[in-house]
Amino acid sequence: GRLVRSFDEVRQLVTRNELELRSEVLVHDEEVAARLSSLEQASGEGSSASDARIIVDRSTEVIVEARAPAGGLLLLADTYYPGWRAKIDGVETPIIKANVAHRAVQLAPGSHRVVFTYRPRSLLCGVALSGVGLIVSLLWTAMCWHRR
């Protein structure tokens, strides 16, 4: 993983033709970049084949089966956006913003099932407010009915 701090830095890498997105992932967090760098050094870059297969691809859910013998980063070329959650083998894990606009998760060595689900807070707030509105409407209707 290569650390980039700004979109301008990405633009410069592209302009100078110093970026190979088929084999390199751009990350925007120093801690993540350091972990990935030490992982690459420990395993020897490109020393083991990894693969991933999308099992389910819906607008609010993506399930991927991944095999990474040396561990690494699973990059999903979908848009990074608040509201997405990820679980690896049933355990909640942070989503990493990668390649400016994509999302990724860090995998430990081995085979994994990664589930991405979209549950935006705005939806939860909307459901809660609708519920409150329904209760108020029912109470108001009951009070008006009772006054007759």
Side-chain angles (χ1 to χ4, degrees), residues 63-132:
I63 299 175
V64 179
E65 288 182 351
R67 187 178 61 82
L73 203 63
L74 172 67
L75 175 71
L76 188 62
D78 276 354
T79 305
Y80 177 91
Y81 194 78
W84 280 99
R85 305 282 183 258
K87 288 185 178 182
I88 299 174
D89 302 325
V91 177
E92 188 94 20
T93 190
I95 294 178
I96 300 163
K97 186 176 183 181
N99 291 353
V100 178
H102 297 146
R103 59 186 187 267
V105 292
Q106 188 169 354
L107 297 176
S111 295
H112 303 282
R113 183 178 185 93
V114 183
V115 178
F116 293 92
T117 53
Y118 185 61
R119 303 258 192 295
R121 286 187 182 170
S122 58
L123 175 65
L124 299 176
C125 289
V127 168
L129 288 174
S130 295
V132 169

Side-chain angles (χ1 to χ4, degrees), residues 14 28 36 41 77 83 86 101 117 120 124:
V14 170
H28 310 280
L36 291 174
Q41 290 172 359
T117 53
L124 299 176

